[in-house]
Amino acid sequence: MGDWSLEAGVTMRVREIGPDDWVIWRLLRQRSLIEDPQAFAASVTRWTGDQDREESWRTRLAAPGSCFVAEHGAAPVGMVGVVPNDDGDGHQLISMWVAPAARGRGVGRALVGRVISAVAGQPLWLRVMDGNETAIRLYQRCGFVLSDDEPDSEGCRAMHRSP
């Protein structure tokens, strides 16, 4: 998906970011964990305090995989990452979040679409908090299927998308 508009005259776009964009990723990740802690297995304490260092953020963005942000004009309003599976077979979608003011406007679908394009037909999976029906519906609209398995020890269920 290319650029699009949420409102007249303001462009929305999704772009890949790297280590030099660590401030943007930090802002979105910390916002996601503070504003919607129930949506994540990760804790805000993992990315604040002693861990909240430029080096840590740059390392995360330099790790294998890709990170994308959605921007409304110049304002970052969403994020998502994708990392290769440890076994080398497929990828995992991670760290998906859209700011409340941008929800329901196609931002989530655009972010997931960029991940699907980035993995180029390889298997893709994700973990979603059990009961997060809004996220589950988004992922289902993007071709993911919710596993019948019970939630894992962090309260997450797996969803898979075949190539």
Side-chain angles (χ1 to χ4, degrees), residues 4 6-7 9-15 17 23-25 27-28 31 68-79 97-103 105 107 111:
W4 76 102
L6 292 181
E7 56 192 68
V10 181
T11 301
M12 175 69 72
R13 70 181 179 141
V14 174
R15 69 179 178 96
I17 64 169
V23 172
I24 296 168
W25 189 260
L27 168 77
L28 288 168
R31 274 192 68 193
F68 302 96
V69 296
E71 295 171 320
H72 180 229
V77 296
M79 65 186 295
W97 183 74
V98 175
R103 292 179 188 163
R105 300 172 181 238
V107 176
L111 286 163

Side-chain angles (χ1 to χ4, degrees), residues 31-54:
R31 274 192 68 193
S32 72
L33 295 171
I34 291 167
E35 294 180 28
D36 292 302
Q38 75 287 351
F40 298 97
S43 164
V44 70
T45 58
R46 179 174 176 203
W47 292 106
T48 58
D50 292 343
Q51 296 297 320
D52 187 14
R53 297 185 322 268
E54 178 179 346

